[in-house]
Amino acid sequence: MTVPREETPGADVAARADAEASRSAGAAAGRTDVAPSGPRPGWGERAGWTLAVAGPLAFLTVFFAWPVVTLVGRGLAPDGALDLSGFGEVLARERTWRILTQTLTQATLGTAVCVALGMPGALVLYRRSFPGRDLLRGVVTVPFVLPSVVVGVAFHALVTRGGPLEALGLDGTLTAVVAALAFFNYGLVVRTVGTMWSRLDPRAVEAARALGASPMRAFATVTLPALAPAIASAASLTFLFCATAYGVVLVLGGVGIGTIETEIYRLTTQYLDLRGAAVLSVVQLGVIALALWVAERARAATQTRLRLRTEAPTSRLRAADAPALAVTAVTVVGLLVAPMAVLVMRSLQRDGAWTLANYTDLGTTGGRSALLVTVWEAAANSVSVAVAAAAIALTLGVAVCLVVSRRPRSRALARVITGLDAAFMLPLGVSAVTVGFGFLITLARPPLALTRSWWILPLAQAVVAVPLVVRTLLPALRAIDPRQREAAAALGAGPGRVLLTVDGPQLLRAGGLAAGFALATSLGEFGATSFLARPQEPTLPVVVYRLIGSPGSQNQGMALAGGVVLAVGSAAVMLGCEWLQTRLGPGRRRHVGARSSRSADFLSAANLDGRRLAGVKGTAGGCGGRIETRRERRADAVSASDPAPGPAGTSKRLPAPDRGVSLRAGGQAAGATGGSNEAARVRGPRTDGGERP
C-alpha cells in the first residue's frame, strides 16, 4: 500500500474514498451503474451564470457606456468623423491647465493628509480593544457616505461669516477644500488599512521583538511592508475620490477653485461646449484609470502574497499607543465632529437669535418661493428614489460578485473575470456630470424615452452605487475557501444549495453594509441628479443646493436645516448597517443559523483527524448527500489512492493496517485539505493562476 503523498489534495483523497465506498455499496446491492459523486453542470446552472453575467453587462452598457460614449462622441466627432483638434484647442487654454493643476494638487494633498492621519486611526480602531470602539468605527465611517452638498454646507458654515473660523479667512481657499476632502476620505483609509491590519498574523512581529527589535523597528521592517498593498490601495482610491470631487468644490471653491468635474459642469450647462467637456472627460478618465490600476495591483498583491487570518486577536491600549490615540482623538473631534456640530448650531440660529424657525419652515417653499415643492416633499422623494436605486444596485452587485469571486483554473477565463471586475469600477472614474448629461442626450427619445420618467433618477443613482456595492461584497466572497464549495458539491448539493449554504451567510453579513452604502450614496447623490431632477420632483441634495444659492436669511437657514436632516438620515443608515454587520460578525454564527455553515463545519471536522475522513455518518453540509460508512471501511479510505488490483478489474480488499500507519495517512490527507499538517497549512490554498498566497 502506498501512503498518499503530501502534495495530493485532500479533496481528491476524499472523493476517491467516497467513490470507492459508493462502488462497494453498489456492488453489495447488485447495482453496477453507480454515478460518480458530485453533480455535473447542467443547462440550468449554465443559464444561471450566463444571466448573472449578461444582465449586469447589459445594464452597464445601456445606462453607462452608451450615454458616456455618446457624449464624448458628440464632442470629438461632431460631424460623424473623428476630429481630435479639440484636444489641442482645449489643452491650449490657460484655464484648462489651471484647473488640471488645481485638481491634481488638491487630490495629492487630500490623499497625503488622509494617509498620515489614517494610519494611527487604523492602529487604534482595529488593533486595540476598548469600550466604545465599535461606535467610534461607525462615526469614522459615516462621513464617507455623507452627501457632498451637506459637507460643503457644513464647512462653509465653519469658515464663512459668523462661523468659528471666520477670522482665518479660509472661505473659498484651497485649505478649506482639502480639509473637506480629508473629512470625506479619512474613514476610507482607516477602514481599508485597519481591516488588513486586523488580519495580519502577529507572530512575525512577536518573533522580531523576541530577536531584540524595538517596537518602531518591528513596525518598519515587518508590519509596514505587509501593509504596503493596503496603503497603496487606500491612497489610490482616496486620490480618485478627491480628483472627482464635485459638490464640495462647487460649494466651497467659489470662482477661484475648481476641478475637472466642476469645469465639465460649467462647460455643459453655461456654454454648451460639448467638445471641451468631451476632452476633459477623456483626460479625467485617463487619470482615474491610472488610479484604479494602482488600486487593483495593490489588491492583487494583498490577495496572492500575504497569508491572512480571519481575525487576529486585539490587545488593550498601552502607554506606547498614546501618540496614536491623541492623533486619532484630535482628528475625530476636530475634523469629523466639529464641522457637523457647527452645522447643527448654525441651523438653530437666524439673524443672530436661537430659534427653530429654520426647521418649521421646511414645510414651506422658502422665501420668495425659492422652491416649487417643500423640503419635506423633496426628502420623501429622495427616500423613495434611494430605495429603488439601492435595490437595483444590490441585485446587480450580488450577481457580479458571485461571478467575479470565482477562481477558475483557466487563465483565459481568469482574465475575463478580471476584466469584468474592472468594467464595473469604471463608473467611479467617469464624471457623474458626464453620466447625467449623457442621460439627457441618449434617453430623451425612443426606444428608451426616460427623461420624463420617475425611473431615470434611480437608474442614474444605481450606476453610481453599483461599484461601491461590488467593492463591499467582493472581499467577503473572496474570503471563502473554494474547498468549501467543492465539499458541498461532492456531497450532492446542487448549485443553488451551494450558493445558499456556503455563499449565502457571507452575503448576508456583507449585504447589510452594502445596502447601507447604496442607500446613503443614493440619498446624497448630486452630480448626475442635478441634471436629471425635474423642478417638480427634486431630491433633497438638489433642494439644499438651490436654497444655499438663494438670497435671504430664511433660505440660508432652511439650507442648513435641510443639510442636518440629510446628514442625520445618511448617518442613521450607515450606523444601523455597521451595527448589523458587527452583530453578524465572526463568532456569532447562531444569528445566521446553524445550517448555513455546516459545509464549513464538515471540512473542519475532516481536518481535525484523518480517521474521520471516511468515518462520517449522517448528513454533512446540509446538502442532502448522506455518507453511510462503517468502521471497517477505514482501510478502504486510506487505500483508495492506490488500490490493489483484484480479479476481473476490481479492487481487492486489503487488511486493515496498523494504527500508526492509518493515523499518519489520515493526517496527511487532512493536511492536504488545509488542516493539521503544518507544511500544507503554510503552503496555503492554490489560487487561479497556480500561485500560492
Side-chain angles (χ1 to χ4, degrees):
M1 182 184 66
T2 303
V3 178
R5 297 187 301 270
E6 202 172 70
E7 305 82 85
T8 304
D12 295 340
V13 177
R16 285 194 291 268
D18 185 39
E20 182 70 20
S22 299
R23 286 193 295 270
S24 300
R31 295 182 287 108
T32 59
D33 56 343
V34 179
S37 61
R40 294 183 177 180
W43 66 269
E45 182 179 359
R46 295 190 181 97
W49 288 116
T50 302
L51 183 62
V53 174
L57 280 180
F59 176 87
L60 191 70
T61 301
V62 174
F63 297 108
F64 173 72
W66 185 26
V68 172
V69 171
T70 300
L71 179 62
V72 174
R74 288 198 177 186
L76 301 183
D79 300 325
L82 184 62
D83 183 10
L84 300 180
S85 60
F87 280 91
E89 178 183 345
V90 175
L91 295 179
R93 301 172 184 171
E94 181 182 355
R95 179 178 176 85
T96 300
W97 286 104
R98 180 169 63 85
I99 293 296
L100 288 175
T101 302
Q102 290 180 353
T103 301
L104 296 177
T105 300
Q106 69 185 32
T108 303
L109 292 177
T111 302
V113 171
C114 288
V115 172
L117 299 178
M119 291 294 294
L123 170 64
V124 172
L125 297 179
Y126 285 86
R127 293 296 297 168
R128 301 293 183 259
S129 59
F130 54 89
R133 186 189 64 170
D134 293 337
L135 178 60
L136 192 57
R137 283 185 184 180
V139 172
V140 169
T141 305
V142 164
F144 180 72
V145 296
L146 285 180
S148 58
V149 173
V150 173
V151 177
V153 172
F155 275 84
H156 187 262
L158 187 66
V159 302
T160 193
R161 182 179 179 182
L165 302 181
E166 176 189 0
L168 299 179
L170 298 177
D171 190 18
T173 62
L174 180 63
T175 303
V177 174
V178 171
L181 295 177
F183 173 93
F184 260 121
N185 299 290
Y186 170 77
L188 174 65
V189 175
V190 171
R191 192 177 190 94
T192 303
V193 178
T195 301
M196 177 62 64
W197 207 335
S198 67
R199 298 179 62 193
L200 291 180
D201 195 336
R203 291 177 294 181
V205 177
E206 295 171 358
R209 294 297 309 279
L211 293 174
S214 63
M216 288 300 300
R217 186 174 180 83
F219 173 80
T221 58
V222 179
T223 305
L224 189 59
L227 291 177
I231 296 173
S233 178
S236 58
L237 290 178
T238 300
F239 183 89
L240 184 152
F241 292 126
C242 291
T244 56
Y246 175 61
V248 169
V249 181
L250 202 62
V251 175
L252 288 177
V255 296
I257 304 295
T259 61
I260 297 178
E261 194 98 352
T262 60
E263 189 67 8
I264 293 174
Y265 173 81
R266 189 183 69 88
L267 291 177
T268 53
T269 57
Q270 297 182 13
Y271 301 101
L272 292 178
D273 185 4
L274 297 184
R275 170 178 288 192
V279 170
L280 291 181
S281 297
V282 173
V283 173
Q284 184 186 44
L285 185 60
V287 173
I288 301 308
L290 179 61
L292 290 176
W293 179 80
V294 173
E296 179 62 22
R297 294 283 297 204
R299 184 202 62 78
T302 301
Q303 183 178 357
T304 60
R305 298 176 187 174
L306 295 178
R307 291 188 295 112
L308 303 177
R309 304 179 58 155
T310 302
E311 191 76 22
T314 58
S315 59
R316 296 182 178 179
L317 288 171
R318 312 165 184 170
D321 300 327
L325 182 62
V327 171
T328 303
V330 172
T331 302
V332 171
V333 175
L335 183 63
L336 304 184
V337 177
M340 303 310 300
V342 172
L343 175 63
V344 174
M345 292 176 57
R346 296 284 303 271
S347 69
L348 297 173
Q349 298 177 3
R350 181 183 291 183
D351 298 327
W354 294 91
T355 178
L356 293 176
N358 295 329
Y359 289 91
T360 58
D361 288 344
L362 295 181
T364 68
T365 57
R368 300 179 181 179
S369 297
L371 307 173
L372 296 181
V373 298
T374 66
V375 177
W376 292 123
E377 290 175 343
N381 187 48
S382 289
V383 172
S384 59
V385 170
V387 171
I392 298 173
L394 279 175
T395 302
L396 298 174
V398 168
V400 172
C401 290
L402 288 176
V403 175
V404 174
S405 62
R406 266 44 186 182
R407 302 175 183 176
R409 297 180 179 179
S410 171
R411 293 193 175 185
L413 189 57
R415 294 190 186 98
V416 172
I417 289 178
T418 301
L420 183 65
D421 185 15
F424 279 89
M425 289 294 291
L426 287 177
L428 291 179
V430 177
S431 167
V433 174
T434 302
V435 175
F437 200 75
F439 265 53
L440 290 179
I441 295 177
T442 57
L443 303 181
R445 57 185 183 274
L448 294 176
L450 298 176
T451 53
R452 297 183 179 274
S453 172
W454 178 86
W455 283 99
I456 193 170
L457 287 182
L459 291 171
Q461 294 182 3
V463 171
V464 179
V466 163
L468 296 178
V469 172
V470 172
R471 298 265 63 88
T472 304
L473 294 177
L474 196 55
L477 293 181
R478 278 176 170 161
I480 298 175
D481 194 332
R483 292 170 297 180
Q484 295 185 21
R485 302 188 183 100
E486 296 170 0
L491 293 171
R497 192 65 179 267
V498 172
L499 290 177
L500 180 63
T501 59
V502 179
D503 299 78
Q506 297 296 332
L507 284 175
L508 182 62
R509 279 188 56 203
L513 188 62
F517 272 116
L519 278 171
T521 301
S522 299
L523 280 174
E525 207 286 321
F526 179 67
T529 308
S530 62
F531 280 89
L532 302 176
R534 293 183 294 175
Q536 300 82 3
E537 295 181 344
T539 60
L540 191 52
V542 174
V543 165
V544 171
Y545 179 71
R546 290 177 181 174
L547 288 173
I548 202 68
S550 301
S553 59
Q554 180 182 1
N555 293 331
Q556 297 293 316
M558 290 176 59
L560 298 174
V564 172
V565 171
L566 188 53
V568 170
S570 301
V573 169
M574 282 307 305
L575 289 176
C577 294
E578 186 79 14
W579 176 84
L580 182 62
Q581 187 195 35
T582 302
R583 297 290 297 175
L584 298 178
R588 301 181 182 268
R589 283 185 186 173
R590 61 184 181 270
H591 296 286
V592 180
R595 293 196 301 173
S596 63
S597 59
R598 287 180 184 171
S599 60
D601 293 340
F602 166 74
L603 190 62
S604 300
N607 291 338
L608 291 177
D609 194 340
R611 294 171 295 176
R612 303 180 186 176
L613 189 61
V616 179
K617 183 178 182 180
T619 303
C623 304
R626 193 171 183 87
I627 305 177
E628 301 283 352
T629 60
R630 299 184 179 90
R631 295 180 179 179
E632 293 82 359
R633 294 179 186 168
R634 293 176 179 174
D636 295 332
V638 177
S639 61
S641 63
D642 190 17
T650 61
S651 297
K652 182 172 65 177
R653 186 180 182 88
L654 299 177
D658 64 274
R659 182 177 178 86
V661 176
S662 275
L663 292 180
R664 287 194 299 271
Q668 290 181 358
T673 62
S676 58
N677 186 271
E678 181 67 22
R681 184 168 66 247
V682 172
R683 188 172 62 247
R686 297 181 65 88
T687 61
D688 53 357
E691 303 173 347
R692 302 186 185 276

